[in-house]
Amino acid sequence: MAIRILPPDVARRIAAGEVIERPASVVKELIENALDAGARQITIEARAGGLGLLRVADDGSGIPSAEVELAFERHATSKLACVDDLATITTLGFRGEALASIAAVSRVTLYTRWRGEELGTQLELEAGQVMLRKPWAGAPGTTILVRDLFFNVPARLKFLRSPTGEAGLIGHVVEQIALARPDIRFRFLNEGRPTLETPGSGTLRDVLRRIHGSAVADALVDLDEVAETCQLRVHGLVGPPTITRANRSGMAFFINRRWISRTPLGAVVEEAYRPALPPGRHPVAVLHLELPPAEVDCNVHPAKAEVRLRNERLVHAAVHRAVRTALLQVAPLPEVGAPLVPTGWGKGRAVTLFPPVDHIQSGEADRVFPRKPVVETEDPSAAVATSAGAPAAGADRPVFRPTALRPVGQVQNTYIVAEGADGVYFIDQHTAHERILYEELLAGRSRPDPPSQALLAPVVVTLSAHQRAVLTEQGEELRRLGFAFEEFGPDAVALRAVPPRLAGADLARAFRDAVDALSGDPVGPDGTDRLLATLACHAAVRAGDPLTAEEIASLLARLEETDVSRYCPHGRPIVVHLPVAQLERDFHRR
Ligand code: ADP
Ligand code: MG
């Protein structure tokens, strides 16, 4: 077929497809127009998944009667005057394409009255052609009805979900924009049923309450940080690691009040959570980023779903830091919930007891415990096991500040028992050690010369072809952690140095697992995180390892110095706390 220019009506429909993919895209564009027009209240209605009818009504500025037809022309916009304005966009729209695109593939009725005029206008269009225009007597503002979406591009319909599915997507869009603008009242009716209603109080938490319910909304933590280096303010709400979702639907990001649905920020936030997040789970986090408009390029995606940041790396680092700081305040300490019920005296297990000490510092450990008497006693791990799961959200949670922990002993060669200021602590020795090592590795990684321990004799590690490929591409990640290695024959490497803490481990296995941790994903935040968790796991003492008094004391001392001390890198609890008050209740002393 010869090359020819497409007839204008065909070209219009193709272009419409870029912006208007489905009913939810119509809703997004119409709400954005209402917001740009200064609306305080926006009502959205959908029928038949938005394919039968969509209605968006606002109390914004309205469109002057003389400009009503123009609004439906392609590239007609009141928001940009010249090309320079593109660099500093402060409105949600700027392309002048949405109304033209929507009208091209549906039947549209517009009712609008500009604030400066006595009488408004009603305009009806079909497939982009004006069918009717007449005066309209209504309140200032704009209402747009979109009927029979895609009636003239039936091919589109094949790519849509069921009406219920499409209605769900519309609901999601309304929710996200409501989160972008807590100061605006949103009402969404699906098939006539009120589905979302936000108060317009200006408080983000109020919107989240309507979306996720009070239990979740009340458990979220406020976050508000400024990063001077990239002129960023990041604020919003993040959930404790105990509130998770199976997908990323609980996360939302806004840059200068614009909802950004495609963004690497989700991965950045998850990396900040990762040590505390169970595998495969995702947090709840709603973050607003505020940047000077010149730092943000919004003109990179037809539906404006993504933006480009001038200082992306700095912004990501600042967001990561802000989330981590917020989480440190809340990560809950699991508590022994059920009272300890005596299980009969005969069945006690051996508990190693140490004499009390007031204060322990890492270096002092060796002279602290001269002897260890062994006595028979009750098995507290039974009670621990019942309550070591996810702690309840909300409520007054004690923040774990493990200071001056006095070792009491070790139970089942697996749990360390210690006394602290406020009761008894049961510490999982493997997960605790893992956590400490994880933080050490993380800290070492950002140093120019990571700590590294040379091996007396190199360890030869055979690798699969895939593992060798991963190593060629991403070996630098391992060197940054203190590994030194070189090729050794066709299918092996010789390990010459390792991160110091790894010295006692099965090095060949640890190295292979480390390479595996790097593969799969590119080295993003997740890959690195998996790597650190893997190495920490290899280097940590195991459950079932008997520990000497010195080892216990030094582990507790290091735990006191560790940043995040509540969850291991795999998301399991590290510490279970039995408060004195609980003991007093159980023994009827109170
Ligand atoms: P853009 O939003 O990119 O300018 P649109 O096609 O979405 O392009 O809208 C075209 C123009 O119509 C806008 O620039 C604005 O002047 C006007 N307009 C659209 N919707 C509304 C509304 N709800 N209230 C007031 N004016 C509107
Ligand atoms: Mg628009």
Side-chain angles (χ1 to χ4, degrees):
M1 198 164 71
I3 297 176
R4 61 192 183 107
I5 308 277
L6 288 173
D9 66 315
V10 179
R12 239 192 335 265
R13 287 184 222 172
I14 291 174
E18 276 186 34
V19 186
I20 305 304
E21 213 185 342
R22 57 188 349 132
S25 2
V26 175
V27 169
K28 174 171 178 284
E29 293 294 337
L30 295 182
I31 297 180
E32 289 188 349
N33 280 347
L35 290 170
D36 281 345
R40 310 298 311 159
Q41 184 166 342
I42 303 173
T43 305
I44 302 102
E45 269 186 72
R47 296 204 180 260
L51 291 167
L53 172 80
L54 280 171
R55 177 176 173 274
V56 176
D58 71 56
D59 59 355
S61 66
I63 304 174
S65 158
E67 295 176 12
V68 166
E69 280 88 353
L70 203 56
F72 287 91
E73 295 286 330
R74 293 203 70 199
H75 309 301
T77 177
S78 58
K79 301 168 195 175
L80 276 187
C82 61
V83 73
D84 289 349
D85 291 353
L86 263 179
T88 52
I89 287 164
T90 53
T91 50
L92 294 166
F94 52 86
R95 290 166 178 263
E97 270 177 331
L99 289 188
S101 298
I102 294 166
V105 294
S106 68
R107 299 187 169 96
V108 168
T109 308
L110 167 85
Y111 304 88
T112 189
R113 187 184 135 200
W114 187 50
R115 291 201 173 279
E117 288 175 335
E118 284 300 305
L119 205 58
T121 313
Q122 174 181 347
L123 193 73
E124 287 185 23
L125 303 95
E126 197 172 303
Q129 301 299 314
V130 175
M131 311 302 277
L132 174 93
R133 173 200 236 268
K134 59 180 188 184
W136 176 68
T142 303
T143 296
I144 298 192
L145 269 69
V146 178
R147 290 194 189 84
D148 307 326
L149 186 62
F150 300 133
F151 80 94
N152 54 349
V153 270
R156 265 273 151 217
L157 296 172
K158 292 199 202 101
F159 295 97
L160 300 182
R161 300 185 186 178
S162 68
T164 319
E166 291 297 327
L169 294 175
I170 295 171
H172 182 67
V173 163
V174 178
E175 285 175 3
Q176 303 308 301
I177 303 182
L179 288 170
R181 295 295 302 267
D183 55 327
I184 306 294
R185 286 181 62 182
F186 288 91
R187 242 161 76 80
F188 171 44
L189 296 122
N190 185 32
E191 305 293 352
R193 259 178 300 109
T195 305
L196 180 75
E197 213 162 319
T198 67
S201 62
T203 306
L204 183 60
R205 202 183 292 269
D206 288 344
V207 181
L208 274 155
R209 189 166 286 122
R210 302 303 170 97
I211 297 174
H212 293 294
S214 291
V216 169
D218 292 343
L220 302 180
V221 193
D222 282 296
L223 172 164
D224 197 342
E225 302 275 341
V226 171
E228 308 279 353
T229 46
C230 49
Q231 304 179 71
L232 169 77
R233 177 179 167 218
V234 51
H235 57 104
L237 293 164
V238 294
T242 43
I243 296 182
T244 60
R245 296 271 180 277
N247 56 35
R248 286 188 165 163
S249 64
M251 285 197 280
F253 302 99
F254 307 92
I255 298 182
N256 295 344
R257 306 259 151 198
R258 180 192 297 281
W259 170 41
I260 309 297
S261 54
R262 301 190 198 181
T263 166
L265 284 167
V268 170
V269 167
E270 292 200 337
E271 199 218 342
Y273 271 86
R274 185 66 65 199
L277 217 55
R281 305 293 300 178
H282 304 271
V284 174
V286 178
L287 293 182
H288 279 272
L289 278 66
E290 284 175 25
L291 286 158
E295 296 287 304
V296 186
D297 184 0
C298 307
N299 194 18
V300 293
H301 186 269
K304 298 161 289 181
E306 45 186 298
V307 297
R308 201 174 288 138
L309 301 177
R310 226 164 55 82
N311 272 317
E312 187 173 64
R313 283 183 73 93
L314 288 177
V315 169
H316 286 182
V319 168
H320 183 271
R321 221 170 23 247
V323 173
R324 235 178 141 82
T325 309
L327 289 180
L328 272 174
Q329 300 161 25
V330 289
L333 172 64
E335 270 211 31
V336 173
L340 287 171
V341 178
T343 53
W345 289 106
K347 293 188 283 174
R349 296 225 166 82
V351 172
T352 317
L353 287 186
F354 300 111
V357 281
D358 294 324
H359 190 73
I360 296 161
Q361 300 210 313
S362 340
E364 290 177 325
D366 7 7
R367 61 173 181 78
V368 165
F369 302 117
R371 63 202 169 89
K372 30 175 178 174
V374 173
V375 298
E376 285 284 297
T377 179
E378 192 60 19
D379 174 15
S381 65
V384 173
T386 58
S387 57
D396 289 352
R397 283 181 307 249
V399 171
F400 185 36
R401 298 259 178 272
T403 46
L405 286 180
R406 181 179 71 76
V408 176
Q410 191 191 18
V411 183
Q412 292 189 317
N413 289 337
T414 297
Y415 306 107
I416 293 170
V417 186
E419 186 187 348
D422 175 37
V424 183
Y425 293 86
F426 299 96
I427 297 153
D428 183 316
Q429 66 192 39
H430 174 68
T431 55
H433 198 198
E434 221 180 355
R435 186 88 200 97
I436 292 165
L437 295 169
Y438 175 91
E439 291 291 331
E440 280 183 22
L441 286 166
L442 195 63
R445 190 172 164 273
S446 46
R447 303 226 308 252
D449 56 337
S452 179
Q453 162 110 52
L455 301 175
L456 286 175
V459 173
V460 174
V461 186
T462 52
L463 296 173
S464 71
H466 176 68
Q467 287 170 327
R468 287 199 305 279
V470 172
L471 201 60
T472 312
E473 260 194 71
Q474 307 180 20
E476 199 41 43
E477 273 295 305
L478 294 169
R479 294 200 168 89
R480 285 172 67 186
L481 291 170
F483 283 103
F485 51 88
E486 63 211 31
E487 265 185 46
F488 192 79
D491 63 352
V493 295
L495 262 186
R496 301 209 169 271
V498 296
R501 299 289 181 196
L502 216 55
D506 176 344
L507 292 179
R509 252 191 73 196
F511 190 76
R512 266 188 232 108
D513 283 0
V515 175
D516 287 343
L518 278 176
S519 73
D521 278 338
V523 189
D526 292 6
T528 308
D529 209 73
R530 263 203 315 275
L531 172 63
L532 298 185
T534 302
L535 291 175
C537 184
H538 271 282
V541 297
R542 317 252 131 217
D545 285 352
L547 298 182
T548 65
E550 289 79 357
E551 285 169 327
I552 290 178
S554 120
L555 199 142
L556 289 178
R558 283 157 73 194
L559 194 62
E560 289 183 22
E561 289 158 10
T562 300
D563 232 9
V564 183
S565 41
R566 289 148 219 120
Y567 287 86
C568 79
H570 297 107
R572 295 207 305 267
I574 293 172
V575 181
V576 168
H577 176 214
L578 177 56
V580 173
Q582 178 73 56
L583 277 174
E584 284 172 347
R585 273 197 300 278
D586 292 336
F587 289 107
H588 302 290
R589 287 183 175 274
R590 257 220 307 223

